[in-house]
Amino acid sequence: MKDLFSEYSDCYQKARPTYSEEIIGQILLSVPKREMAWDVGAGSGQFTQLLAPHFNHVLATDISENQLHHAPTLANVRYEIKKAEQSDLMAHVVDLVTVAQAVHWFDFERFYKEVKRVLKPEGVLAIIGYGLIEVHDTKLNASIQHLYQQVLRDYWDTERHYIDEGYQTIPFPFQEIPTPELELNYVWTAQQLFEYLSTWSAVQHYERQTGHSALTEIADDLKQYCGMSISVTFPVLLRLGRLAQV
């Protein structure tokens, strides 16, 4: 599992999209028992805090101490610095395992082996994410598409393709639970949009390798949107699965 975000933990927490109650509600429809949840790759706890009201106990793990440092303190949540492919949990004690915007960094085979070990027989694995941002303003959306596909084309980690493919091409050795199409909708300022784009890992790779900012053009484009509201949408990536019945 890669740690790409420790250096930018504070920015990541503030600028990344938040998950909706609609997402957690859809997941919980398939989780009748709610004693224990394990949030893997929890980062700064964006998804962890949605789980906390619904479970007696939540374990949130991440390899980044800096990220976990920014997570909220919650009475029923325990944070631990751990790789996704390991936990100290006993076998068959978890009702729900969640991974939000992180599974593409994992060693799939080892992670899924651990998931199968800790899940209860009726437990559920939820893979959550969001795809490429879409800005409703056509001109600005074209600028972001240019940034994503052209300027940063050679700077994305190879694992990014799993997100571009909607998590449909990840290995998923579980009994699939059908889910509806969902999306996240926000109204942002130009500054909020710029700060979100700044959290892209490819932007950070570009700046380290070239010594220049990848966001110069988009910053110029955003100047004309100062004081305006910008509507943005993210497609939600959601896969739910149970242990395969044998």
Side-chain angles (χ1 to χ4, degrees):
M1 179 180 177
K2 294 183 179 180
D3 181 6
L4 298 179
F5 305 106
S6 287
E7 186 178 347
Y8 301 90
S9 297
D10 187 53
C11 182
Y12 190 92
Q13 180 199 36
K14 293 177 180 178
R16 284 279 169 148
T18 54
Y19 298 98
S20 65
E21 291 289 345
E22 185 180 19
I23 295 174
I24 188 67
Q26 184 62 44
I27 294 170
L28 292 177
L29 290 175
S30 301
V31 186
K33 297 181 179 180
R34 302 174 189 175
E35 174 65 24
M36 177 75 183
W38 177 26
D39 190 24
V40 194
S44 56
Q46 286 186 317
F47 201 76
T48 309
Q49 59 192 333
L50 290 180
L51 291 171
H54 302 283
F55 289 85
N56 293 339
H57 306 283
V58 179
L59 172 65
T61 62
D62 199 279
I63 60 172
S64 171
E65 182 177 5
N66 286 340
Q67 285 271 47
L68 292 177
H69 178 73
H70 289 90
T73 300
L74 300 165
N76 61 332
V77 175
R78 183 172 85 255
Y79 295 101
E80 292 186 359
I81 304 167
K82 286 194 177 297
K83 294 181 180 179
E85 300 81 7
Q86 66 183 49
S87 74
D88 290 334
L89 292 166
M90 297 177 63
H92 313 308
V93 296
V94 176
D95 299 291
L96 175 65
V97 176
T98 59
V99 189
Q101 200 71 1
V103 76
H104 49 289
W105 305 122
F106 296 177
D107 179 321
F108 291 116
E109 183 176 355
R110 292 179 58 213
F111 172 62
Y112 289 147
K113 181 179 179 180
E114 183 69 351
V115 170
K116 292 176 180 179
R117 186 185 72 81
V118 303
L119 271 184
K120 295 178 180 178
E122 68 278 11
V124 170
L125 168 66
I127 304 295
I128 309 109
Y130 47 86
L132 181 61
I133 186 173
E134 179 180 343
V135 178
H136 296 194
D137 182 280
T138 304
K139 182 179 178 182
L140 185 54
N141 191 64
S143 297
I144 293 173
Q145 291 288 335
H146 175 74
L147 171 67
Y148 184 86
Q149 297 178 7
Q150 301 300 323
V151 177
L152 299 175
R153 178 179 55 190
D154 298 327
Y155 297 90
W156 289 105
D157 292 272
T158 56
E159 294 89 346
R160 176 71 194 188
H161 76 90
Y162 289 118
I163 292 179
D164 291 335
E165 294 154 2
Y167 279 161
Q168 294 304 301
T169 57
I170 62 171
F172 198 73
F174 297 89
Q175 183 180 345
E176 192 103 20
I177 301 170
T179 60
E181 292 187 4
L182 302 173
E183 59 185 26
L184 299 170
N185 294 288
Y186 304 99
V187 177
W188 282 353
T189 64
Q191 182 63 32
Q192 285 176 297
L193 179 55
F194 182 81
E195 289 175 356
Y196 164 69
L197 297 175
S198 299
T199 70
W200 281 1
S201 58
V203 168
Q204 299 158 24
H205 294 330
Y206 182 100
E207 294 178 359
R208 288 194 189 100
Q209 294 177 37
T210 68
H212 302 287
S213 173
L215 301 180
T216 302
E217 291 184 24
I218 201 76
D220 288 339
D221 292 339
L222 283 170
K223 288 178 182 178
Q224 61 186 293
Y225 294 88
C226 287
M228 299 172 60
S229 297
I230 302 172
S231 297
V232 303
T233 296
F234 294 86
V236 171
L237 317 179
L238 179 61
R239 297 191 71 177
L240 302 181
R242 300 187 189 278
L243 298 175
Q245 300 298 314
V246 296

